Structure formats: structure tokens, C-alpha cells
Amino acid sequence: MALRLYNTLTRRLEPLEPIRSGQVSMYTCGPTIWNYAHIGNFRTFLFEDLLRRWLEASGLSVFHIMNLTDVDDRIIREASARGTDIRSFTEPFARAFFEDRDWLRLRPAHVYPRATDFIDPMIALVQGLMDRGFAYQGEDGSVYFAIDRFPAYGRLSQLDRRELKAGASGRISADEYDKENAQDFVLWKAARPEDEAVGAAWDAPFGRGRPGWHLECSAMGLALLEREGLGPVLDIHAGGVDLIFPHHEDEIAQSCAYTGEAHFARMWVHGEFLNVRGSKMSKRFGNITTPRDLREDGVDPGALRLLLFQTHYRQKLDLTDDGLAAAREGCRRLGEFDSRLRRSETTPAGEENDFTPWGRNLEQKVAGALDDDLNAPEAVAAVFQASRDGNRLLDLGIFPAAADRDRWARLLGVLDILPAEAGAAAIVTPGGGSGVAAGALSPSPPADPAEAEAWAVAWAAARAAAKGSKDYKEADRIRALLAGAGWEIRDARDGRAEVRRVFP
RNA sequence: GGCGCCGUAGCCAAGUGGUAAGGCAGAGGUCUGCAAAACCUCUAUUCGCGAGUUCGAUUCUCGCCGGCGCCUCCA
């Protein structure tokens, strides 16, 4: 394992050195399930997926936690407006999130803790912080974290070096709560009638209320680490750049003040934002794009993964139609090569040919790139290069050994950027047709998929016969007819032809 | 006001103190009856602009111009 990652905590590339040899604990901040997660959220999840996969491909055993935030202001507001409770309101969005996750081929985390299932650990954490003097109760009944009692506060975001402009973001009114210091953050929010109405209030020794957002991740992370016997410190904590401050800063303060450890996570990694056509996704701009939107537009998840991996995770990325189109074409090409490689003849094991260095080279390039702070664009470049070189070797009649194929499959399995719909091909041999005369075939395909394939194959055979008698006009007519119905014909050099369904 | 990021071919995007990966698009070619697919060749003497350090800078430093993010519950 030679993976180096950019650690936000030190602002340097650092080798990943797991606390327990061979094992990595990873916590990634998940979605707030108040709506459909958008493609920006998923860009972060996608880079985390690559990290997860690369750790596993490197032989590490990963314990991956992703939380679902199912109680917050927006959820309460929306549940309230619909006259329902927060659980019923969030449930469909949790399901939608898992659907989108699967569509984008994200490897499922080992646990998806929901905030409302971890109220007890949260209360214990707040109580512990109060007992240790890090937290106090305001006159409004809410409990706050006193940042001036935690000297390390600001280390992650370099807050000690910055001057805060109160309310600069315009997102929060500074005097909404009763705090000692304007920068103190809330751990436990005293219950309001609106909270009670939607089931967002719980009893606690310090008063009825609900958890603050930052508290959730600390409490769930620590509780799950303990349950798994993994100690009080995470190896990796990841999220989007916007979470550095205040979310992750606050998590560190709460967790470390509670455990007494120097770190909540040794390595903090953050992914950059995805913009859509030049601007940040926001309701105001009406440019929220979700995976389901893209799916409806016929975007292939493999192409989308390819597109996002063609830019480094710490670089801003603009999602555009041109980019999607380009990725779709690149993805198609990789898919063509992949199926060609799978179907090719094989060189016996132990016999070396030009495919042997091909495989070694691919492996070395991809591993080198991913080890270097997850340089996916470079890994993708190596994959394209291998696909071109591989096609050339196959053109020359040089075939891969099983080991070469396995290498390709394993490395592609890490990136997972092949198209979803490959379009199985049926081979038509001249003379081996069904014997059905072209005149007897229907010009339009049957609805049933299996019958449609038989129909296409029969037409292809008829075309082969026409070609055999040099009736090119008829052959071209049939090819056009099939194309119109969504079937593509490719003639091979040996006179055989392939028919395959084309997915638009 | 504070902290920070970015500006590389028509578009997207890696990268290095020693002279520019990869993808898409485009042009020509090989193969083919013609296509498709695949492959080959070509497409930035140049990395926003200016100055400095250096034998040498796209890569380091400073300034400028342009775009962007965070600054208390947004991935």
C-alpha cells in the first residue's frame, strides 16, 4: 500500500498509515434526506467510492460508514408543511437515495446510520461534554459547545488564521440562538412546538429537544467505531469541501473534547464541487440536476462515472451537455474493446506475447496514478491507452492470456466506467441463414425481444445471401431497414456479419 | 475584510524545473462492394499577462488581469 492522500488537516500529501494494519475505518458524510440528492452530492460520493474501491483493491479491509441525516430544519419544515412526521417524510428519499446509489454503481457502505436511530449516543455525548465543561446550556434551553474551551478549534479550517465576518454567507442570522460566543455552535436544540408536531423531539436530562447537525456525525461515528471494536479514532473522514467549516471543524471539537484523543480522524479528505453549466447548483438558479434526471435523459451511468473521473476530485468540475456527449462516446469505445477482449481467442497460460507487457503496463500505470492522491484522470488515460494498444494487438492476431484479461477486468472493476448496455451481438454466418426468403419477412420487428432478435438475425441472413450474389442494392436496403429498427450490422473480414441491438 | 482555489489545443482535462498524458470534436489514410467498428497519421514551438530567480520555468517567487469557493447546520 503506497497510497498517498491530500490531508486537509495538514494541507499536504501524506501516506495512508492505517491505525490497525490491514484495516481502514472510513466515515463519509451522507445526504440529508429531505429531497432527492443531486449530482453534486453524488460527485462527492463517487470520489469516495473510488477511494473505497482502491483501498479494497489494495488489499485493505475497509469499514465504511455513511450517515443519513433524517432530522434537520429543512426536514421539519417540509414535514410540517405536509402535515406528516419526519420519519414518514424522509423514508421515500432514503429509498430514492439507495436507488440512485445503485444506478451510479456506488459500492454500498457497511452501515447507513440514521440520526434518529442514534439519539441515545447523542444524548450521552452532549452530557459528557457538559460534564467535562465543554458545553453549556443557554437560557433558551439549547446546549452549546464553548469553542474557547477547546484550543485546537479551527485547526482543520485554519480558523485561527482567519477573521470571521459574521453572517457573511447570508445563510444564518447570527442572533438566532442564545449563545455566549457568536461562534459557539449548537449541540442540542430545545424543542419547539413545530418540532413536537412532526416527531422531532426527544427527552434528555438537559431538556427535551433534538440533536444539532454536527453532533450526529460525531456520535454515530464514535458509537459505530466502538461497536466494531475499532477504537475512538477514524482512519479517514471524507466529505465535500464545503463541510470543512463548520461541520468537520465542529465534529473534531466535539469528538476530541469527549474522547481526549488528538484526532477524530487521522486523514481528512475533501472533494471539490460540481457545478452545472458554470454555476453552483441551487434552487435559486433552478439548475438542480439529479441522477434521476440524467437517467431519464438516457445518460449511461458508466459514461457519467467516466466523465467525473476524468477530472481530479480536488478540482472543480463543470457538468455540461458536451462533456456528457464526449464521455458517452469514450465509454462506448471502452465497451467495444472490453467485449472484443472477452470474446477473443486466448493464449495459453505461461506463454508470453505482447499482451504480457500490455497487462503489466496497464496495472503499473493505474496503480501509480491512484496511489498518487487518487489521480483518476491519469488512471483513465492509461485505460484508454491500453484499449488502443489492445485493439492493435488483436488486429495483428495477437491474443491475451487469461491473466491479461483478468488484469483488465480487475482494474476496470475499480473505476467501473464501462457502459451499462453493451448490446449482445449475434453472429450470422453466410449460407447458414434461416432459409426464409426476404420477401416472407416482416419489415418491422416483433414486439417480443427474443422474437425481435430472431427477426433481426433472419434479415441479416437474407442480407448475407444478397451479398453473396452481389446484390448490394438489396443488401444495403436490408441494412438500412435494420438500422431503422435499432439494429446494427457489422461485416467482418471473413464474410461473417454481426447483428446487434443499438441502445440509443 | 479573512482563508483558499483555478486560468494548458475548437471543447474537456492530466502533468513536470529540462521543454506538453488522455478523452471528445476535426482532417487525411488502411481495411471494406459501400458502410460500421478498429487501427495509423496529422491537429498547442506552447501552458492568462508582465517581471524576477535559474544554465533553463508551463512548472518556483512577486505583481496584474480574469473566473470561482468558504466565512456557523450547502456535497
Side-chain angles (χ1 to χ4, degrees):
Chain A
M1 161 56 55
L3 172 62
R4 297 194 313 155
L5 287 172
Y6 183 83
N7 188 352
T8 306
L9 203 52
T10 57
R11 314 264 159 164
R12 271 201 293 268
L13 283 178
E14 290 178 0
L16 176 72
E17 287 162 356
I19 297 168
R20 287 155 300 274
S21 172
Q23 276 190 305
V24 174
S25 56
M26 177 161 97
Y27 188 105
T28 58
C29 285
T32 297
I33 43 179
W34 74 295
N35 208 330
Y36 298 111
H38 56 64
I39 193 65
N41 301 344
F42 276 98
R43 182 196 183 187
T44 300
F45 303 151
L46 205 62
F47 114 73
E48 293 162 348
D49 181 61
L50 181 62
L51 174 56
R52 157 90 180 273
R53 288 176 188 238
W54 185 235
L55 291 169
E56 290 179 343
S58 303
L60 291 158
S61 152
V62 179
F63 182 63
H64 179 192
I65 306 167
M66 177 178 272
N67 68 292
L68 299 182
T69 295
D70 63 353
V71 51
D72 90 325
D73 290 349
R74 291 168 297 187
I75 290 170
I76 290 167
R77 193 182 66 224
E78 297 296 322
S80 202
R82 285 165 179 70
T84 182
D85 59 283
I86 56 171
R87 193 82 193 191
S88 319
F89 172 71
T90 54
E91 190 51 40
F93 293 115
R95 274 203 305 276
F97 169 69
F98 291 131
E99 278 171 23
D100 294 342
R101 172 200 68 186
D102 294 341
W103 180 70
L104 266 166
R105 309 174 186 171
L106 301 175
R107 202 167 278 186
H110 297 94
V111 271
Y112 288 97
R114 295 196 197 188
T116 56
D117 287 335
F118 281 76
I119 298 296
D120 287 345
M122 292 181 201
I123 291 173
L125 181 51
V126 173
Q127 189 61 55
L129 289 172
M130 290 177 83
D131 294 345
R132 289 164 176 72
F134 288 104
Y136 62 91
Q137 195 151 26
E139 281 176 25
D140 62 350
S142 295
V143 181
Y144 300 91
F145 187 95
I147 63 163
D148 50 9
R149 280 169 232 164
F150 187 78
Y153 193 81
R155 195 171 146 208
L156 182 70
S157 55
Q158 304 191 338
L159 190 70
D160 50 322
R161 286 173 49 199
R162 57 162 105 187
E163 195 180 294
L164 285 184
K165 195 170 181 178
S169 72
R171 284 190 294 137
I172 294 299
S173 64
D175 51 9
E176 194 175 340
Y177 293 101
D178 179 27
K179 313 184 221 181
E180 285 177 7
N181 179 327
Q183 292 181 29
D184 288 351
F185 58 91
V186 68
L187 297 168
W188 188 260
K189 296 182 172 185
R192 303 164 305 174
E194 309 92 275
D195 303 338
E196 296 285 3
V198 295
W202 291 265
D203 282 320
F206 34 83
R208 207 168 155 72
R210 63 187 169 99
W213 180 44
H214 314 306
L215 183 72
E216 299 172 8
C217 290
S218 288
M220 294 192 283
L222 289 172
L224 289 166
L225 281 176
E226 191 185 341
R227 195 187 79 187
E228 299 293 318
L230 295 172
V233 182
L234 291 159
D235 285 305
I236 299 174
H237 194 132
V241 279
D242 56 323
L243 297 187
I244 295 172
F245 186 85
H247 186 56
H248 288 163
E249 193 70 72
D250 292 351
E251 281 187 41
I252 291 173
Q254 296 160 344
S255 307
C256 296
Y258 182 78
T259 62
E261 296 285 339
H263 296 295
F264 178 37
R266 282 193 170 184
M267 190 77 89
W268 290 84
V269 287
H270 294 96
E272 253 297 348
F273 261 63
L274 172 83
N275 291 328
V276 169
R277 291 181 198 88
S279 50
K280 177 174 171 173
M281 256 179 283
S282 129
K283 278 201 157 175
R284 262 182 308 150
F285 303 140
N287 64 347
I288 304 277
T289 301
T290 65
R292 34 231 311 135
D293 295 333
L294 296 173
R295 192 171 54 187
E296 277 173 28
D297 287 349
V299 171
D300 187 296
L304 187 55
R305 289 180 66 102
L306 172 63
L307 177 61
L308 300 192
F309 287 156
Q310 278 183 306
T311 299
H312 188 92
Y313 78 91
R314 288 196 286 115
Q315 214 63 44
K316 287 178 193 57
L317 169 65
D318 196 23
L319 184 72
T320 62
D321 298 327
D322 285 353
L324 282 167
R328 172 191 156 124
E329 178 59 20
C331 183
R332 184 199 62 73
R333 253 186 67 207
L334 292 178
E336 293 274 2
F337 173 66
D338 180 69
S339 58
R340 195 179 173 198
L341 190 72
R342 283 171 196 282
R343 288 179 299 154
S344 85
E345 293 175 39
T346 314
T347 297
E351 215 171 279
E352 299 223 342
N353 62 17
D354 286 347
F355 257 108
T356 316
W358 172 88
R360 280 202 211 105
N361 187 48
L362 174 64
E363 172 128 45
Q364 189 197 322
K365 288 269 173 55
V366 170
L370 295 180
D371 274 344
D372 181 20
D373 196 26
L374 238 44
N375 192 333
E378 213 169 281
V380 166
V383 165
F384 273 106
Q385 190 63 55
S387 126
R388 183 147 15 87
D389 293 342
N391 267 318
R392 186 168 49 225
L393 293 175
L394 290 170
D395 283 348
L396 293 170
I398 301 170
F399 302 111
D404 303 322
R405 257 189 205 151
D406 291 347
R407 272 202 162 109
W408 165 267
R410 197 172 68 249
L411 295 165
L412 267 287
V414 172
L415 295 164
D416 212 347
I417 49 177
L418 293 175
E421 307 278 18
I427 308 291
V428 175
T429 312
S434 58
V436 178
L441 279 165
S442 158
S444 54
D448 178 74
E451 285 176 34
E453 178 164 335
W455 170 86
V457 168
W459 269 117
R463 174 170 172 277
K467 265 185 76 181
S469 53
K470 299 218 187 306
D471 185 355
Y472 296 125
K473 202 177 161 193
E474 173 66 0
D476 290 350
R477 184 186 75 86
I478 295 174
R479 184 167 62 199
L481 182 151
L482 283 170
W487 294 82
E488 180 187 59
I489 283 210
R490 288 186 195 171
D491 294 329
R493 227 172 309 195
D494 59 12
R496 295 192 303 172
E498 276 183 14
V499 226
R500 66 169 79 195
R501 184 103 182 81
V502 180
F503 293 90

